[in-house]
């Protein structure tokens, strides 16, 4: 009984801010404090989402956006993790590449979008490229940091027992750096949703970013807010999936916590 009460209280506490936000959002345009032409109440936004569902357009936009974001994110995970492991493990390699990477890191993905379009066109490759670029950096930096902050005592202990460099890398470095790597991947997931909007605003005929921009251009404001809300839920879904994967690959941390 106590557990149920505690659970209900926890749910209520976590929901309070969202409920208050929705209530205020509904009241502002309804009371005329904010012009409904610029801020549609949540009830109208829900109606717009319902029309999207009934027409079948929701599935098309969501799957298109999800496919684009996952394509760019997966490429960023592979490239960022591999390069981050190399940079963190080989100090000379890092000293050679670091100045160039620091320079590239300052260039926004949105600033490079015209370059991607010039080389890759306005099709899917340029959209994947901008998502890849935006997601790549947090994954790379967190991977490098994770490798560098592995406890040296663990490495020295493995060496003292005659472990090879390959064994140390896969059995000591990689597991120890995994939490930091997954932090970078989850940050990359958030960045990829942000870049997705910009990617879909040019040369697209489907996707949530396209839907938001198109709704704004034809002044269908409730539809525009519906697209924004759906995009936020897509980001939450992606973060939840990445958190599940992280939990699966870092289950050993729970064992350490329990022993502590």
């Amino acid at each position: 009984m106590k557990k149920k009460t505690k659970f209900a209280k926890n749910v209520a506490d976590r929901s309070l801010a969202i409920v208050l936000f929705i209530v205020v959002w509904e009241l502002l345009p309804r009371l005329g404090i904010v012009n409904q032409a610029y801020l549609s109440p949540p009830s109208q936004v829900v109606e717009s989402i319902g029309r999207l569902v009934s027409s079948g357009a929701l599935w098309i936009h969501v799957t298109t956006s999800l496919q684009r974001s996952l394509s760019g994110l997966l490429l960023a995970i592979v490239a960022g993790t591999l390069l981050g492991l190399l940079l963190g493990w080989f100090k000379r390699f890092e000293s050679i590449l670091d100045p160039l990477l620091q320079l590239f890191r300052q260039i926004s993905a949105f600033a490079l979008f015209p370059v991607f379009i010039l080389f890759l066109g306005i099709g899917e490759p340029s959209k994947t490229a901008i998502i890849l670029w935006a997601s790549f950096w947090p994954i790379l930096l967190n991977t490098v940091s994770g490798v560098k902050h592995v406890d040296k005592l663990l490495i020295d202990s493995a060496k003292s027992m005659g472990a090879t460099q390959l064994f140390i890398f896969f059995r000591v470095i990689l597991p120890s750096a995994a939490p930091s790597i997954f932090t970078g991947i989850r940050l990359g997931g958030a960045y990829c949703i942000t870049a997705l909007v910009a990617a879909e605003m040019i040369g697209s005929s489907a996707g949530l970013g396209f839907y938001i921009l198109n709704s704004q251009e034809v002044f269908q404001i409730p539809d525009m807010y519906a697209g924004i809300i759906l995009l936020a839920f897509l980001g939450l879904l992606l973060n939840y999936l990445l958190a599940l994967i992280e939990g699966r690959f870092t289950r050993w941390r729970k064992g350490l916590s329990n022993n502590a």
Side-chain angles (χ1 to χ4, degrees):
M1 189 67 180
K2 288 183 178 179
K3 288 184 178 180
K4 290 183 178 179
T5 304
K6 186 177 180 181
F7 176 77
K9 185 177 182 299
N10 187 43
V11 170
D13 289 342
R14 293 179 66 86
S15 304
L16 181 61
I18 295 176
V19 172
L20 288 175
F21 172 75
I22 293 173
V23 170
V24 172
W25 180 7
E26 181 75 30
L27 290 176
L28 286 176
R30 294 290 184 188
L31 297 176
I33 300 172
V34 179
N35 193 333
Q36 283 198 34
Y38 305 132
L39 181 66
S40 304
S43 53
Q44 292 183 7
V45 174
V46 171
E47 290 176 7
S48 296
I49 295 174
R51 287 195 297 271
L52 271 175
V53 173
S54 60
S55 67
L58 176 64
W59 176 251
I60 296 172
H61 291 304
V62 170
T63 52
T64 301
S65 291
L66 193 59
Q67 181 180 352
R68 286 171 179 153
S69 58
L70 287 178
S71 297
L73 180 60
L74 288 174
L75 288 173
I77 290 172
V78 173
T81 304
L82 290 178
L83 184 57
L85 290 171
L86 290 173
L87 290 171
W89 185 244
F90 299 105
K91 293 183 179 179
R92 181 166 175 76
F93 184 56
E94 183 196 12
S95 66
I96 294 171
L97 278 189
D98 186 64
L100 183 63
L101 292 173
Q102 291 299 331
L103 175 64
F104 283 165
R105 188 165 69 93
Q106 307 308 317
I107 304 175
S108 167
F110 307 121
L112 284 175
F113 203 22
V115 179
F116 294 144
I117 292 175
L118 283 174
F119 280 91
L120 303 173
I122 60 172
E124 294 303 314
S126 60
K127 295 174 177 56
T128 301
I130 191 174
I131 295 170
L132 164 62
W133 185 272
S135 308
F136 171 77
W137 298 105
I139 298 172
L140 173 68
L141 296 175
N142 277 274
T143 301
V144 173
S145 176
V147 174
K148 283 186 173 182
H149 287 87
V150 173
D151 192 345
K152 290 184 179 180
L153 181 61
L154 296 175
I155 299 174
D156 293 338
S157 298
K159 286 180 178 178
S160 68
M161 291 185 286
T164 64
Q165 289 291 321
L166 200 62
F167 180 90
I168 292 173
F169 183 79
F170 283 103
R171 294 293 186 176
V172 179
I173 302 295
L174 202 55
S176 298
S180 183
I181 293 172
F182 275 105
T183 298
I185 290 173
R186 291 177 69 177
L187 284 171
Y191 278 78
C192 93
I193 294 298
T194 304
L196 174 69
V197 178
E200 290 187 334
M201 284 182 174
I202 300 177
S204 297
S205 58
L208 292 175
F210 159 79
Y211 181 75
I212 292 168
L213 181 65
N214 186 65
S215 299
Q216 183 266 333
E217 288 178 345
V218 297
F219 215 71
Q220 295 294 328
I221 304 304
D223 293 345
M224 182 189 75
Y225 282 107
I228 293 170
I229 295 298
L230 290 170
L231 194 65
F233 276 111
L234 182 65
L236 287 173
L237 174 63
L238 184 58
N239 183 68
Y240 177 73
L241 292 175
L242 291 174
L244 285 179
I245 296 171
E246 178 184 6
R248 183 177 180 83
F249 281 93
T250 58
R251 283 181 294 185
W252 55 271
R253 296 178 68 194
K254 292 183 179 179
L256 291 177
S257 300
N258 292 334
N259 291 334

